[in-house]
Amino acid sequence: ELSKPAPATIKGRVVVGELPQPGLAVVLFDDKNKEKAKATTKDDGTFAFPDLPAGKYTLFAQKTGGVIREKVLPVEVKAGEVK
């Protein structure tokens, strides 16, 4: 029996300066720019995407209201890795 590779997790925190940004949508795209998952930041600005297959992803977060700020961050995870 072939064992499945351990899933990876991508975790992060959205801040402006030192201030956490709660309630923001964070979107995860795969290397083909296809949306794979969405998360909403918690009160401390943290988010997580668990149970991902190994691969290359792009995180996208946008803050609206007043000045619109966007952040795009490429990330690669290996099987069982937490980043």
Side-chain angles (χ1 to χ4, degrees), residues 45-57:
T46 60
F47 64 89
F49 294 103
D51 302 321
L52 298 172
K56 293 181 179 180
Y57 296 93

Side-chain angles (χ1 to χ4, degrees), residues 6-71:
T9 299
I10 296 175
K11 294 180 175 182
R13 185 167 184 240
V14 180
V15 295
V16 173
E18 304 238 343
L19 299 174
Q21 300 298 299
L24 289 187
V26 180
V27 184
L28 183 72
F29 294 92
D30 66 12
D31 60 349
K32 295 175 179 65
N33 211 29
K34 183 177 176 187
E35 185 179 307
K36 299 306 283 183
K38 284 184 181 178
T40 301
T41 56
K42 297 179 182 176
D43 288 344
D44 62 357
T46 60
F47 64 89
F49 294 103
D51 302 321
L52 298 172
K56 293 181 179 180
Y57 296 93
T58 301
L59 292 168
F60 175 82
Q62 182 179 58
K63 180 177 182 177
T64 57
V67 176
I68 296 175
R69 298 179 187 195
E70 295 181 348
K71 180 70 175 178

